[in-house]
Amino acid sequence: MADYRLTFPTDEQHVRDLRAGDSIVVDGHIVGIRDRTQIRMFDEGRRPHMDLRGALLLHTAPNVRPLGNGRYEKLCIGTTTSARMVRFTEGLGIDYGVRAICGKGGLPDEAIEPMRRLGMVYLAIVGGAAALETTQIEEIEAVEWEDLMPECLWLFRVRDFGPLTVGIDAHGTSLYHDVQAEARRRLEALYDRL
Amino acid sequence: MDAVGAGPVRPVERVVEDAAAYLYVWALKDIPQDLRDALGAARERETSVPGRRVLDTIVRNVEVADREDNLVCQDTGIAVYYCRVGEGFPLHPARIYEALRRGTERATVEHPLRSNTVHTLTRQNTGPNVGYRVPIVHWEFVTGRDDLDVKCVPKGSGSENMSFLRMCVPADGVAGIKRFVLDSIVGAGGKPCPPGIVGVGIGGTADYAMHLAKEAIARPIGTRNPDPEVARLEDDLYGLLNETGIGPMGLGGDVTVLQCHVEHADTHMTLNPVAVNYQCWAARRASAHVTADGDVRYDRDA
Ligand code: SF4
């Protein structure tokens, strides 16, 4: 298990270097996104102006203070459960060129195949560790679709963001799948001891 | 509040309101010492690389929250209070409820905190973390006392979504109870932000079992059920759950749960209800003790 530092947006090669279980710290720019944002993009067929090529998306609904003129100050920014949003994975890769999705709790197995095919990864953050996460977001640089507040598209400039764990890599390995399979195997043995 | 109930706010009612406002924010920022100790011990014990990375980050996050005076987790939860009311306490529970509601509201507006409460069908926000039947209060009434203990537990949705109920049959026995708890926690995987406290309620009726599971998650880590039979079940489940390998944030490891607490009630001879309520690693909790004279003592350990 290797330790990486990567600047986003990035390209397919850097993403394919990552293996499930690796640690990664992120610099550069990442994009906050959530259920409503993706419902608009995919179910309502609207395309945002923000360029998502090579992007790392973060599943979040940030707690912010409006400063006027579309500027916002961060208050507390954390991460939400990713599993609800799994159905958008393939579209994000094909239509938008997204390279990485960061969230908590993992994505179900249906994300494994598109991530392998399209060269995408799932990066696990520590759910609930919002105090730390907030200090690693340097600034909110842009916001789009403010009418969906707080489920807008958020452009964050980050530094030392993480450490994140590669939960699903671009080679068909998912830690979540493997941990579940192992747990189910162990359960069979545990049942006998009840 | 309706017109009939809208009398003047008596001083002790104001005291309870202030306490609620304080407890809600305090709980969100400063997690209890028993939880800090348990997270620190988990970090020492964990051997998987991703698991240790997660626990390191959690411990670091708690330190940053202290330093920056920020919330430990962004999810301000749904406000749940536990009240133990002495029969001689000079404020009727109806008034205690109103005070808790106003305190929750004030904390949300004044801090300000993210407001999460919505109408269940329309999904429209209902106000500053209050709404119809929200906050939620667990009541216990005790004889021979004239004081009030109030504990605030802001409950996050990631872990609350991992709640499970099964009406086992008596023939399933204790093994059936254990199996259901194990299956529930393995099925939950990383979604409820493990490692946390697994609350288990057994006996009573379906609704009461879940009520008891929620009581169980509010207990300080390290406390044990006074009934030795039930305490043994707590120990057994704790060991079994940590053998599943789910690990911190579901990334695999030795520490899947920090503790398992069981609360029980006697039940009907043909019932065997089991409820599981998960509390994430951010097991926030803050308590106050209010005397009949309106003096308040905040308590980090309760
Ligand atoms: S489950 Fe708990 S730690 Fe995780 S995001 Fe929700 S409140 Fe925070």
Side-chain angles (χ1 to χ4, degrees):
Chain A
M1 291 183 192
D3 291 347
Y4 288 93
R5 177 176 281 271
L6 206 55
T7 301
F8 275 89
T10 189
D11 56 25
E12 179 167 357
Q13 191 47 54
H14 282 99
V15 162
R16 291 223 182 253
D17 286 344
L18 303 170
R19 296 283 172 169
D22 286 348
S23 164
I24 165 168
V25 173
V26 170
D27 297 313
H29 290 84
I30 68 174
V31 177
I33 198 165
R34 209 165 183 261
D35 306 59
R36 282 288 291 128
T37 343
Q38 298 179 82
I39 286 168
R40 178 169 287 183
M41 287 160 68
F42 294 101
D43 299 351
E44 296 164 18
R46 287 174 58 183
R47 209 178 165 91
H49 296 298
M50 212 176 275
D51 186 0
L52 302 182
R53 269 174 305 173
L56 164 56
L57 304 183
L58 175 70
H59 287 155
T60 186
N63 191 350
V64 295
R65 192 196 317 273
L67 301 174
N69 292 326
R71 307 291 303 166
Y72 291 87
E73 180 196 342
K74 63 178 179 174
L75 291 178
C76 187
I77 304 180
T79 308
T80 191
T81 306
S82 300
R84 300 189 304 268
M85 293 172 264
V86 65
R87 71 183 173 99
F88 304 117
T89 307
E90 186 168 15
L92 289 169
I94 293 179
D95 300 347
Y96 291 93
V98 167
R99 286 287 162 214
I101 296 171
C102 176
K104 80 173 180 85
L107 285 173
D109 289 354
E110 63 195 274
I112 298 174
E113 191 281 324
M115 288 195 141
R116 185 190 54 72
R117 176 164 33 92
L118 300 167
M120 301 167 74
V121 288
Y122 179 83
L123 305 176
I125 201 164
V126 177
L132 179 65
E133 200 176 323
T134 305
T135 63
Q136 296 168 342
I137 292 177
E138 291 188 312
E139 209 187 327
I140 301 173
E141 289 198 351
V143 187
E144 192 172 345
W145 290 345
E146 283 169 82
D147 59 311
L148 297 182
M149 189 66 57
E151 299 187 55
C152 328
L153 276 162
W154 300 89
L155 184 65
F156 301 126
R157 190 178 71 242
V158 300
R159 190 189 189 86
D160 295 333
F161 190 79
L164 312 172
T165 298
V166 180
I168 305 175
D169 65 21
H171 305 277
T173 302
S174 163
L175 282 188
Y176 302 100
H177 175 88
D178 294 354
V179 167
Q180 274 295 319
E182 171 66 13
R184 305 248 165 228
R185 201 183 56 75
R186 291 189 189 187
L187 274 181
E188 291 306 319
L190 291 178
Y191 291 156
D192 292 337
R193 287 173 27 208
L194 302 184
Chain B
M1 202 191 292
D2 64 43
V4 182
V9 175
R10 293 157 61 202
V12 66
E13 187 169 342
R14 172 66 67 158
V15 167
V16 175
E17 176 184 328
D18 290 346
Y22 182 79
L23 289 176
Y24 192 19
V25 176
W26 186 33
L28 292 171
K29 288 187 171 177
D30 179 13
I31 60 171
Q33 191 57 44
D34 53 274
L35 178 59
R36 291 170 187 252
D37 293 345
L39 289 167
R43 180 176 60 168
E44 297 306 311
R45 183 163 97 240
E46 181 59 60
T47 59
S48 97
V49 175
R52 249 201 335 266
R53 194 182 297 142
V54 166
L55 288 162
D56 275 338
T57 305
I58 287 174
V59 169
R60 216 171 118 206
N61 179 70
V62 172
E63 289 164 8
V64 171
D66 286 343
R67 197 171 64 230
E68 307 264 325
D69 190 32
N70 204 346
L71 311 184
V72 168
C73 171
Q74 78 286 348
D75 188 352
T76 49
I78 183 163
V80 181
Y81 293 91
Y82 298 72
C83 288
R84 190 184 295 125
V85 193
E87 59 176 334
F89 189 67
L91 194 63
H92 191 278
R95 286 292 185 176
I96 296 175
Y97 187 77
E98 287 306 322
L100 296 177
R101 167 191 288 275
R102 282 195 306 273
T104 308
E105 219 172 300
R106 255 179 48 201
T108 305
V109 172
E110 285 166 13
H111 186 272
L113 299 171
R114 190 176 93 180
S115 183
N116 307 311
T117 318
V118 299
H119 184 285
T120 301
L121 295 179
T122 67
R123 310 310 292 181
Q124 297 297 313
N125 198 290
T126 55
N129 283 317
V130 294
Y132 179 58
R133 293 179 168 161
V134 177
I136 291 163
V137 181
H138 286 223
W139 297 102
E140 187 188 341
F141 302 101
V142 290
T143 53
R145 279 173 59 173
D146 65 356
D147 54 358
L148 166 72
D149 290 328
V150 51
K151 182 187 307 196
C152 176
V153 176
K155 189 64 173 65
S157 65
S159 56
E160 188 66 12
N161 270 328
M162 296 300 113
S163 303
F164 309 93
L165 173 73
R166 183 181 169 89
M167 302 306 280
C168 290
V169 296
D172 292 334
V174 181
I177 294 173
K178 289 179 179 171
R179 184 176 174 139
F180 178 62
V181 177
L182 274 170
D183 289 347
S184 298
I185 298 309
V186 167
K191 291 197 279 292
C193 292
I197 303 169
V198 174
V200 179
I202 51 174
T205 50
D207 58 320
Y208 202 62
M210 191 54 87
H211 179 88
L212 290 170
K214 187 57 118 265
E215 297 270 316
I217 59 130
R219 276 168 40 194
I221 294 175
T223 54
R224 303 187 77 219
N225 191 296
D227 182 323
E229 287 289 324
V230 181
R232 184 155 355 110
L233 179 60
E234 290 179 337
D235 292 344
D236 288 353
L237 282 172
Y238 170 75
L240 290 162
L241 288 166
N242 281 323
E243 283 186 57
T244 59
I246 294 293
M249 286 312 295
L251 295 170
D254 310 304
V255 187
T256 300
V257 304
L258 297 174
Q259 200 52 266
C260 179
H261 294 162
V262 182
E263 289 294 321
H264 78 296
D266 296 336
T267 191
H268 189 287
M269 58 189 162
T270 55
L271 285 178
N272 190 10
V274 192
V276 177
N277 189 249
Y278 200 93
Q279 176 63 306
C280 48
W281 70 260
R284 299 158 294 183
R285 176 185 108 228
S287 303
H289 179 78
V290 185
T291 67
D293 300 331
D295 291 332
V296 184
R297 185 171 51 79
Y298 291 101
D299 188 344
R300 249 177 137 245
D301 301 321

